[in-house]
């Protein structure tokens, strides 16, 4: 199988020739720039660049040498943008390593070593403390209450770091002819690689409520102001569907997967009851998935952290083909339980290695043992793409990253395949 065939077979619950692998196809399946630079040093890879394509989470865009070495089967369409040297500039990561930022991103260093990101009008929207490894949101446009209507929603969303500091290709969405350029570059990328192509297009609903009102405020609103929440969600859906129309027209016949995001879980369970999910979010998620399935060849992928076992029956009914990051270290998210209860109905993209307790602190041998156990549960019959439980964080030893991918190759019974 080609990588694209391997990914699609896994999503469609057909047993692929190898367990497919992801590293960096989404901003929730990637690697910290600090960990990435150390990994390159460990592997003796010189040249190239540690390019921080997701500035909020400080994630590196994996280069071809790493993708080939670890047999990675999927890539983000955003990598077809910002390919020129002038699109980046040099800076130093928190541990002193050289790296590059996108040319448009210039956070202000403070006297105490922290950083502030601002909008052109001076609005403070994100902070990273001294020694920090990601930016935190500091501007919540509706923190003090909702407006009388949502005519200003576009402006409000633009003041949130997840929109204002967006990763490629969306940092170019304002360019003249963007949608034509996106289509052209997607076609070129599809011809130049056999890897599956991922388009990251948020369509967040619950999360946009938390971005605008803060988590505590929006959770309160779900119970106390349901009519206002419905109005906000309807306004968001108008924008999401209008965006999906452009997405499907531009890349729907060339991209393989459309990735949505909505973190619905905590460590101990969902943020809301299944009944509340069904009221506010399931009908809208169903509409989003149906639109993609009707108007493109793309599979639908939902990123949701946390314990979401109780919501998975509804997410499956809503039409999601893939769930990520499969946070197996949360309550009710044991691999055996997930595979038994939902393994025939949804593809697990993640859950391959615990990034909280195992990957940062275990020995390479223990990492291998852990990964083999996860693979033995998730891999049979397809429905699984190997990836860590969310991003590889800065403190992870490079030896453990190598051990993790070695375990996958050994499980597959082959060296990772090379890619055309």
């Amino acid at each position: 199988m080609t990588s694209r065939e391997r990914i699609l077979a896994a999503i469609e619950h057909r047993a692929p020739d190898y367990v497919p692998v992801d590293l960096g196809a989404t901003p929730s399946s990637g690697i910290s720039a600090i960990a990435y630079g150390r990994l390159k040093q460990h592997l003796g890879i010189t040249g190239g660049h540690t390019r921080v394509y997701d500035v909020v989470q400080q994630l590196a865009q994996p280069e071809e040498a790493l993708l080939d070495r670890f047999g990675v089967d999927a890539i983000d369409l955003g990598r077809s943008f910002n390919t020129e040297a002038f699109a980046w500039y040099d800076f130093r990561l928190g541990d002193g390593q050289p790296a590059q930022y996108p040319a448009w991103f210039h956070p202000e260093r403070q006297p105490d070593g922290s950083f502030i990101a601002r909008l052109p009008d001076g609005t403070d929207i994100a902070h990273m403390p001294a020694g920090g490894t990601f930016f935190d949101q500091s501007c919540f446009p509706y923190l003090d209450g909702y407006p009388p209507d949502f005519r200003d929603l576009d402006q409000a969303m633009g003041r949130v770091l997840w929109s204002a500091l967006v990763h490629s290709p969306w940092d170019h969405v304002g360019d003249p002819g963007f949608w034509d350029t996106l289509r052209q570059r997607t076609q070129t990328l599809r011809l130049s690689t056999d890897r599956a192509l991922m388009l990251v297009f948020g369509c967040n609903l619950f999360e946009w409520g938390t971005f605008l009102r803060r988590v505590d405020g929006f959770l309160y609103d779900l119970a106390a102001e349901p009519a206002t929440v419905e109005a906000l969600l309807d306004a968001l859906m108008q924008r999401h569907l209008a965006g999906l129309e452009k997405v499907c027209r531009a890349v729907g016949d060339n991209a393989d997967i459309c990735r949505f995001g909505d973190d619905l879980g905590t460590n101990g369970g969902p943020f809301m009851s299944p009944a509340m999910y069904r009221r506010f979010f399931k009908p809208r998620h169903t509409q989003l998935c149906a639109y993609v399935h009707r108007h493109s060849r793309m599979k639908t992928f939902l990123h949701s952290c946390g314990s979401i076992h109780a919501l998975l029956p509804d997410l499956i009914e809503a039409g999601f083909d893939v769930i990520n990051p499969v946070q197996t270290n949360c309550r009710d998210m044991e691999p055996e339980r997930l595979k038994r209860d939902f393994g025939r109905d949804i593809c697990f993209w993640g859950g391959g290695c615990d990034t909280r307790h195992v990957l940062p602190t275990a020995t390479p041998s223990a990492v291998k043992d852990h990964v083999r156990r996860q693979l033995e549960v998730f891999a049979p019959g397809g429905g699984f793409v190997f990836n860590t439980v969310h991003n590889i964080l800065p403190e992870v030893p490079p030896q453990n990253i190598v051990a993790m991918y070695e375990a996958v190759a050994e499980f597959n019974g082959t060296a990772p395949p090379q890619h055309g």
Side-chain angles (χ1 to χ4, degrees), residues 176-391:
F178 167 76
W179 293 102
D180 291 335
T181 301
L182 178 63
R183 178 167 182 78
Q184 179 185 24
R185 295 193 181 191
T186 302
Q187 290 173 330
T188 300
L189 192 60
R190 189 175 183 88
L191 292 173
S192 67
T193 181
D194 67 6
R195 294 186 174 97
L197 303 184
M198 176 87 70
L199 180 72
V200 177
F201 191 70
C203 286
N204 313 63
L205 293 169
F206 172 72
E207 280 190 316
W208 263 115
T210 67
F211 299 158
L212 293 164
R213 277 279 284 158
R214 210 170 60 188
V215 174
D216 52 345
F218 193 60
L219 287 173
Y220 175 86
D221 298 339
L222 289 171
E225 295 193 47
T228 305
V229 168
E230 295 271 12
L232 171 62
L233 295 176
D234 288 343
L236 287 168
M237 284 294 292
Q238 290 179 5
R239 287 154 178 79
H240 293 342
L241 289 169
L244 279 179
E245 181 182 3
K246 295 176 182 177
V247 161
C248 290
R249 189 183 311 123
V251 304
D253 55 344
N254 284 295
D256 299 293
I257 307 154
C258 183
R259 184 265 199 192
F260 299 147
D262 239 350
D263 283 343
L264 301 171
T266 70
N267 283 331
F271 273 108
M272 68 204 74
S273 68
M276 188 171 279
Y277 172 77
R278 291 174 196 134
R279 172 178 179 178
F280 291 106
F281 303 106
K282 183 177 180 180
R284 295 173 172 90
H285 280 156
T286 301
Q287 190 175 2
L288 295 171
C289 288
Y291 190 92
V292 171
H293 289 146
R294 281 198 309 268
H295 294 93
S296 78
R297 65 194 297 172
M298 296 184 290
K299 306 294 187 181
T300 52
F301 174 122
L302 178 68
H303 167 74
S304 174
C305 291
S307 171
I308 56 170
H309 184 281
L311 300 182
L312 275 169
D314 292 297
L315 293 171
I316 291 165
E317 287 184 4
F320 290 109
D321 299 305
V322 179
I323 195 74
N324 160 272
V326 196
Q327 198 166 345
T328 56
N329 44 35
C330 291
R331 182 180 179 181
D332 299 329
M333 295 289 285
E334 299 84 1
E336 296 82 1
R337 184 175 185 179
L338 291 172
K339 187 71 173 182
R340 181 191 69 229
D341 293 350
F342 309 114
R344 293 182 297 274
D345 303 311
I346 199 162
C347 175
F348 298 113
W349 190 301
C353 188
D354 181 338
T355 44
R356 180 185 296 173
H357 304 294
V358 178
L359 196 60
T361 61
T363 64
S365 176
V367 168
K368 279 193 170 186
D369 289 343
H370 168 71
V371 169
R372 278 192 290 265
R373 288 194 296 272
Q374 303 295 88
L375 287 163
E376 287 165 358
V377 174
F378 279 124
F384 179 60
V385 175
F386 180 85
N387 186 230
T388 50
V389 177
H390 219 295
N391 297 317

Side-chain angles (χ1 to χ4, degrees), residues 24 30-34 36-37 49-54 58-62:
I31 181 168
S32 147
I34 289 175
Y36 182 78
H49 301 281
T50 298
R51 287 180 166 167
V52 182
Y53 87 103
D54 181 328
Q58 298 284 287
L59 301 181
Q61 181 173 276

Side-chain angles (χ1 to χ4, degrees), residues 42-247:
H42 174 74
L43 294 173
I45 297 175
T46 58
H49 301 281
T50 298
R51 287 180 166 167
V52 182
Y53 87 103
D54 181 328
V55 300
V56 175
Q57 298 183 99
Q58 298 284 287
L59 301 181
Q61 181 173 276
E63 297 160 283
E64 285 289 333
L66 270 295
L67 298 179
D68 284 340
R69 185 181 187 103
F70 297 136
V72 174
D73 294 293
I75 52 175
D76 180 1
L77 288 180
R79 70 189 296 116
S80 64
F81 286 75
N82 298 334
T83 57
E84 307 89 349
F86 65 74
W88 304 88
Y89 72 92
D90 296 333
F91 81 108
R92 292 279 172 176
L93 294 167
D95 67 345
Q97 291 186 70
Q100 292 188 326
Y101 269 152
W104 53 263
F105 183 63
H106 290 275
E108 300 174 5
R109 186 180 180 90
Q110 304 303 299
D112 64 357
S114 65
F115 289 89
I116 295 177
R118 300 183 190 274
L119 295 178
D121 67 3
T123 302
D124 173 339
I125 63 166
H127 291 179
M128 184 166 68
T133 55
F134 57 87
F135 280 84
D136 282 311
Q137 183 175 348
S138 55
C139 178
F140 298 86
Y142 293 166
L143 182 62
D144 296 326
Y146 292 101
D149 56 51
F150 292 108
R151 284 180 291 183
D152 78 332
L153 184 55
D154 289 339
Q155 290 77 18
M157 293 169 73
R159 301 175 83 78
V160 171
L161 82 168
W162 298 107
S163 177
L165 307 179
V166 73
H167 54 77
S168 55
W170 308 114
D171 54 346
H172 288 274
V173 72
D175 294 354
F178 167 76
W179 293 102
D180 291 335
T181 301
L182 178 63
R183 178 167 182 78
Q184 179 185 24
R185 295 193 181 191
T186 302
Q187 290 173 330
T188 300
L189 192 60
R190 189 175 183 88
L191 292 173
S192 67
T193 181
D194 67 6
R195 294 186 174 97
L197 303 184
M198 176 87 70
L199 180 72
V200 177
F201 191 70
C203 286
N204 313 63
L205 293 169
F206 172 72
E207 280 190 316
W208 263 115
T210 67
F211 299 158
L212 293 164
R213 277 279 284 158
R214 210 170 60 188
V215 174
D216 52 345
F218 193 60
L219 287 173
Y220 175 86
D221 298 339
L222 289 171
E225 295 193 47
T228 305
V229 168
E230 295 271 12
L232 171 62
L233 295 176
D234 288 343
L236 287 168
M237 284 294 292
Q238 290 179 5
R239 287 154 178 79
H240 293 342
L241 289 169
L244 279 179
E245 181 182 3
K246 295 176 182 177
V247 161

Side-chain angles (χ1 to χ4, degrees), residues 3-4 6-7 19-22 71-75 194-196 417 419:
S3 282
R4 184 173 297 118
R6 189 171 300 122
I7 289 282
V19 173
V21 172
D22 175 29
V72 174
D73 294 293
I75 52 175
D194 67 6
R195 294 186 174 97
H419 295 266

